[in-house]
Amino acid sequence: MESPAVLRHVVLFAFKQEASAEQVNDTVSRFAALPQAMPGIRQFEWGSNVSPEGLNDGFTHCFTLSFASAEDRDAYLTHPAHQAFVARLGECLARSLVIDYWARASA
């Protein structure tokens, strides 16, 4: 039996050099609070880069949100809580990278 498809929304953050640890921690905390405001988020996880390869191009934090449908993802993108979160990112964020994909498991 095939498991239901899951839409992954992956967000990478590269913080400004001058961003304080407090600003970074506040950003992570505010991002982690979004699932409580939006029932369409099935799963949320995050972590900071620990790769020894040195290929992260300045991106230090990765956030992965899972949705059951594109409609749930779209509702998240336009939700006032998400919009308020994004509006404050310029205070300490240098760059972001976002990619969405439908998760596929290999047989």
Side-chain angles (χ1 to χ4, degrees), residues 72-85:
D72 286 345
R73 185 264 328 267
D74 294 349
Y76 155 80
L77 292 174
T78 59
H79 193 282
H82 178 255
Q83 292 296 310
F85 171 72

Side-chain angles (χ1 to χ4, degrees), residues 12-27:
L12 302 176
F13 282 170
F15 290 92
K16 294 177 181 177
Q17 284 286 111
E18 63 272 14
S20 68
E22 182 178 287
Q23 286 176 305
V24 171
N25 291 336
D26 180 61
T27 300

Side-chain angles (χ1 to χ4, degrees), residues 2-105:
E2 194 172 312
S3 62
V6 175
L7 180 59
R8 304 268 194 240
H9 178 73
V10 179
V11 180
L12 302 176
F13 282 170
F15 290 92
K16 294 177 181 177
Q17 284 286 111
E18 63 272 14
S20 68
E22 182 178 287
Q23 286 176 305
V24 171
N25 291 336
D26 180 61
T27 300
V28 170
S29 294
R30 288 186 296 108
F31 205 157
L34 291 180
Q36 287 86 33
M38 292 169 246
I41 299 173
R42 288 178 50 182
Q43 184 178 6
F44 173 90
E45 61 185 29
W46 75 275
S48 56
N49 182 47
V50 296
S51 174
E53 295 179 287
L55 300 174
N56 58 303
D57 193 27
F59 291 99
T60 58
H61 288 69
C62 180
F63 305 86
T64 304
L65 295 84
S66 300
F67 300 91
S69 68
E71 292 80 14
D72 286 345
R73 185 264 328 267
D74 294 349
Y76 155 80
L77 292 174
T78 59
H79 193 282
H82 178 255
Q83 292 296 310
F85 171 72
V86 169
R88 287 189 54 195
L89 288 175
E91 298 171 9
C92 64
L93 199 64
R95 301 182 296 143
S96 63
L97 176 78
V98 178
I99 185 169
D100 293 356
Y101 68 93
W102 287 100
R104 298 182 192 163

